[in-house]
Amino acid sequence: MSNSRYKLLSEDEIKEYVPNGIMRIKDSSRLKNALIFICGMALCYVILFHVKSEKKMGNFKSFKEMLIKPFVTQKFENYADFYFTKDESRFLNCSQITNGSKDAIESYVNNGRLKLEREKLLKLPMDCENIKTRIRGDIPSFSKLERPIAFVRNIFTLYEFQESLISLNYHPDNSYCFSIDFKTVHRLSENMLSLSKCLPNIIINPMKYSFDSAGHFQDRAHFDCLKLILNRTWYHTLLLQNYDIVLKSSEQLSDLSEMLNYTSIMGLEYGYKHRYKEDANWTPAGLKLFKNEKGVPDRILHTPLTIRKGLNEVFLSKTFVDSLFDKLNLDPILDLFDNKELYGVDEMLIPTLYENYLGLEGQMTSNCTKLQLDNLTRQTDWNFNGPDGYDKNCKSKMKRHSICIIGVEYLQDFSNSNQISANKVLDNFDFGPIICLRQMIREGETNGISEDALNWSPQYREMKLKQNGTYIKEKFEC
Ligand SMILES: *[C@@H]1O[C@H](CO)[C@@H](O)[C@H](O)[C@H]1NC(C)=O
Ligand SMILES: *[C@@H]1O[C@H](CO)[C@@H](O)[C@H](O)[C@H]1NC(C)=O
Ligand SMILES: *[C@@H]1O[C@H](CO)[C@@H](O)[C@H](O)[C@H]1NC(C)=O
Ligand SMILES: *[C@@H]1O[C@H](CO)[C@@H](O)[C@H](O)[C@H]1NC(C)=O
Ligand SMILES: *[C@@H]1O[C@H](CO)[C@@H](O)[C@H](O)[C@H]1NC(C)=O
Ligand SMILES: *[C@@H]1O[C@H](CO)[C@@H](O)[C@H](O)[C@H]1NC(C)=O
Ligand SMILES: *[C@@H]1O[C@H](CO)[C@@H](O)[C@H](O)[C@H]1NC(C)=O
């Protein structure tokens, strides 16, 4: 792993890394240098001034006081105030927008939407009291979760964005583990560390990875985080990427975990042949997949794995994750999928390990290798017509990597969605959906996931049959 150590890149390298024109990540170092310079000058001035004319001028003290004036704790009135000025946020009326008011949406959109811009961030006090206020200040107490969830996320953009995505469904019983990209400016890492020192259920993976839009290191980072939180109490884990927004409350996810029991949800699709090295040795024996091959049937050891595909976002039971770490050597297969020459490499590892029967706990035993698009883990408004950028067929009129970007126009859909998460929310396109969804979740305006919705998933149906003793492998219809 020596190639994934922390390294800060130059501004040009960071710009190069930007996936396309919409996301323009700018390094704040120039601004920082300018500030350091100005502060330095001010200090010199003060010292000179102080030495030369201490007696004459009595106002040095007040200047010093100004320099060390502590941050003032902000009261929790309007969540938007933590990240935006009142003037900026005056057009966002979440109640009206989620109520479907076209006028409210139009007024907000036409006035430019709320955006986080790296150059114009409000001062964010990072002491523990303020962090806690921002994340959970309006939720004075929590009731115990039956089945806590582990959120595992790979990140690289602004700290403010990640902080507010956490606060959306923060619960002290859950675990939140983050892996950070090594090209990210220092500020995200530093602030995430402050956050984790303040809230013990927020864990930062010390390794850094070279994430890119082809999906490299995504699986590796997720697994490294999972390893860090294996001995915490959780029942399902939701694996996420930087721009995913979770649509359900912790209580709703806990209920879902209870229904799913040992099963997991993910897409069940054929792997695309251009996304993996087809001529590699994909047998478990060739991959040295099992830590201990004794007792593993030859038919499993020597049959090439059928390469499967879902999305990178999956909802996995602890039962299955424990079994993965317990029984398998994950490094060789992680490296084989993470082929540096290929694109979209991060959507196959878990579906392949889950859908090929390997005798792991939590797997389904039926051989379900037909196409089943996942409509539970991630809501995505795909739009393959035309280039990225403006697109009148997107509700938000904006598209990136053939996916309509989430704007407040999607909030009504979210309130009765059967999906756990949605993609993509961009902090520098529209921050409004995060603020409003947070309010919706807190006020119980989002639906839980129904048992009916789960019935499309063969692993869930298989479990139900097994539980009442009517499962027959040969007769099971995927
Ligand atoms: C939003 O609109 C409702 C109803 O029109 C109003 O009562 C409420 O005060 C408004 N909220 C904000 C934050 O402006
Ligand atoms: C939401 O819509 C209902 C019915 O259309 C209306 O009675 C209510 O006042 C609206 N609430 C807000 C906050 O706009
Ligand atoms: C498991 O938990 C114990 C404390 O309960 C801790 O000391 C240990 O480091 C943890 N192990 C891992 C791998 O995180
Ligand atoms: C989960 O499944 C196991 C095995 O079928 C069963 O014993 C247990 O009662 C189930 N738990 C829940 C919460 O349904
Ligand atoms: C599973 O089904 C596929 C076709 O649907 C077949 O090619 C494959 O051999 C089967 N695997 C097992 C282990 O039965
Ligand atoms: C989920 O997808 C299946 C087909 O794969 C479909 O039959 C089902 O209606 C879908 N469910 C929802 C809630 O969209
Ligand atoms: C067993 O469970 C399945 C799925 O829930 C149901 O369709 C079936 O009727 C049940 N059979 C019996 C005998 O209870």
Side-chain angles (χ1 to χ4, degrees):
M1 295 286 293
S2 56
N3 59 341
S4 47
R5 278 267 152 211
Y6 185 79
K7 174 173 167 259
L8 263 183
L9 296 195
S10 72
E11 191 169 345
D12 284 345
E13 283 169 307
I14 288 167
K15 272 186 192 151
E16 213 168 85
Y17 165 66
V18 169
N20 69 23
I22 296 170
M23 267 298 305
R24 194 132 283 284
I25 303 172
K26 283 200 196 120
D27 191 356
S28 61
S29 60
R30 237 189 301 164
L31 182 70
K32 209 167 85 189
N33 288 344
L35 275 175
I36 289 171
F37 180 74
I38 291 168
C39 290
M41 290 300 282
L43 205 65
C44 284
Y45 176 76
V46 163
I47 290 166
L48 283 174
F49 203 70
H50 181 58
V51 170
K52 272 188 177 169
S53 49
E54 195 178 9
K55 275 180 194 164
K56 254 197 282 180
M57 305 290 287
N59 62 348
F60 171 55
K61 199 173 151 211
S62 65
F63 191 91
K64 199 169 100 187
E65 271 173 359
M66 215 172 80
L67 280 176
I68 55 164
K69 189 176 162 194
F71 290 115
V72 179
T73 308
Q74 219 169 344
K75 281 240 183 69
F76 210 119
E77 284 167 12
N78 180 8
Y79 182 70
D81 293 347
F82 294 127
Y83 308 105
F84 299 94
T85 64
K86 283 204 187 302
D87 190 51
E88 287 165 336
S89 67
R90 79 199 129 115
F91 296 106
L92 182 71
N93 187 316
C94 291
S95 313
Q96 290 179 346
I97 288 173
T98 55
N99 210 17
S101 161
K102 288 211 170 63
D103 287 346
I105 292 177
E106 212 165 87
S107 149
Y108 169 73
V109 169
N110 292 344
N111 281 288
R113 301 181 193 266
L114 287 178
K115 297 175 176 55
L116 279 185
E117 288 171 57
R118 206 168 273 263
E119 304 80 6
K120 296 189 209 158
L121 298 172
L122 295 188
K123 210 184 274 177
L124 201 67
M126 286 304 294
D127 60 285
C128 198
E129 191 193 341
N130 271 290
I131 290 174
K132 280 184 178 162
T133 302
R134 290 195 298 272
I135 291 207
R136 43 178 284 187
D138 53 345
I139 312 168
S141 65
F142 292 88
S143 48
K144 188 180 170 300
L145 276 187
E146 280 306 313
R147 298 187 42 116
I149 304 297
F151 298 82
V152 172
R153 196 191 274 268
N154 299 334
I155 61 173
F156 57 87
T157 50
L158 283 179
Y159 170 75
E160 282 81 350
F161 180 54
Q162 296 306 331
E163 183 184 88
S164 79
L165 288 175
I166 294 169
S167 87
L168 208 71
N169 58 4
Y170 178 81
H171 193 293
D173 295 347
N174 289 332
S175 298
Y176 302 80
C177 186
F178 292 87
S179 297
I180 307 177
D181 180 68
F182 79 32
K183 296 181 288 311
T184 304
V185 279
H186 234 81
R187 186 174 168 275
L188 175 68
S189 301
E190 273 175 14
N191 286 346
M192 289 304 292
L193 282 175
S194 305
L195 176 63
S196 77
K197 282 187 191 130
C198 173
L199 297 166
N201 60 335
I202 295 183
I203 298 98
I204 310 299
N205 175 1
M207 299 299 292
K208 308 275 183 212
Y209 306 84
S210 180
F211 298 141
D212 56 26
S213 55
H216 294 117
F217 290 108
Q218 292 288 332
D219 287 330
R220 167 70 69 179
H222 280 151
F223 274 79
D224 287 350
C225 248
L226 284 172
K227 209 186 295 175
L228 287 175
I229 57 171
L230 269 188
N231 66 359
R232 290 179 177 249
T233 303
W234 50 272
Y235 291 84
H236 274 82
T237 181
L238 180 57
L239 304 191
L240 297 164
Q241 295 184 302
N242 191 72
Y243 298 117
D244 296 318
I245 185 166
V246 178
L247 303 181
K248 304 299 170 197
S249 69
S250 294
E251 290 74 14
Q252 289 167 336
L253 291 175
S254 168
D255 290 348
L256 174 64
S257 168
E258 199 166 342
M259 281 194 283
L260 286 171
N261 195 336
Y262 58 81
T263 65
S264 302
I265 49 182
M266 69 189 75
L268 302 96
E269 239 188 288
Y270 302 104
Y272 304 155
K273 293 197 190 303
H274 58 280
R275 290 194 178 185
Y276 62 94
K277 207 162 168 268
E278 220 191 330
D279 58 4
N281 183 348
W282 287 101
T283 63
L287 285 164
K288 302 202 167 22
L289 189 59
F290 286 94
K291 283 184 182 164
N292 181 359
E293 293 187 347
K294 238 171 86 185
V296 181
D298 275 357
R299 146 180 67 78
I300 290 183
L301 277 181
H302 301 290
T303 308
L305 299 173
T306 305
I307 307 302
R308 303 289 290 161
K309 177 191 170 306
L311 292 166
N312 186 261
E313 295 79 357
V314 292
F315 195 60
L316 303 179
S317 71
K318 182 71 163 30
T319 310
F320 178 61
V321 174
D322 278 340
S323 192
L324 279 179
F325 280 100
D326 187 33
K327 298 206 172 126
L328 303 185
N329 273 320
L330 293 163
D331 284 338
I333 192 168
L334 268 163
D335 290 342
L336 188 54
F337 272 122
D338 204 22
N339 187 312
K340 294 295 169 289
E341 269 123 54
L342 302 177
Y343 179 88
V345 297
D346 58 342
E347 303 179 334
M348 296 170 287
L349 174 71
I350 288 169
T352 298
L353 291 175
Y354 187 75
E355 293 158 32
N356 285 272
Y357 187 69
L358 298 168
L360 305 178
E361 318 271 318
Q363 280 194 289
M364 76 187 128
T365 39
S366 314
N367 179 23
C368 290
T369 43
K370 70 174 192 180
L371 177 71
Q372 293 258 15
L373 286 180
D374 164 25
N375 51 16
L376 280 167
T377 47
R378 194 186 91 181
Q379 184 157 331
T380 317
D381 190 359
W382 291 104
N383 181 331
F384 293 104
N385 299 316
D388 281 357
Y390 177 83
D391 190 316
K392 66 176 181 355
N393 295 317
C394 286
K395 283 188 180 182
S396 58
K397 309 278 187 281
M398 195 53 82
K399 189 167 75 177
R400 179 182 179 272
H401 295 171
S402 304
I403 294 174
C404 295
I405 298 172
I406 291 163
V408 294
E409 297 88 341
Y410 287 87
L411 284 166
Q412 263 214 307
D413 298 351
F414 289 168
S415 68
N416 48 23
S417 172
N418 261 321
Q419 311 258 14
I420 304 172
S421 70
N423 177 287
K424 309 186 163 311
V425 60
L426 296 188
D427 48 359
N428 60 359
F429 174 72
D430 193 353
F431 203 85
I434 307 178
I435 295 172
C436 291
L437 185 62
R438 190 180 183 284
Q439 178 179 319
M440 287 162 72
I441 288 178
R442 201 195 52 206
E443 289 175 10
E445 292 170 3
T446 55
N447 278 358
I449 290 175
S450 67
E451 188 155 359
D452 270 355
L454 291 185
N455 269 324
W456 75 269
S457 110
Q459 56 273 40
Y460 180 74
R461 281 184 278 111
E462 184 192 279
M463 177 183 73
K464 296 307 267 185
L465 295 177
K466 281 181 175 172
Q467 283 176 343
N468 68 12
T470 59
Y471 173 71
I472 301 164
K473 189 176 179 202
E474 293 69 34
K475 291 208 175 136
F476 184 74
E477 283 188 41
C478 294

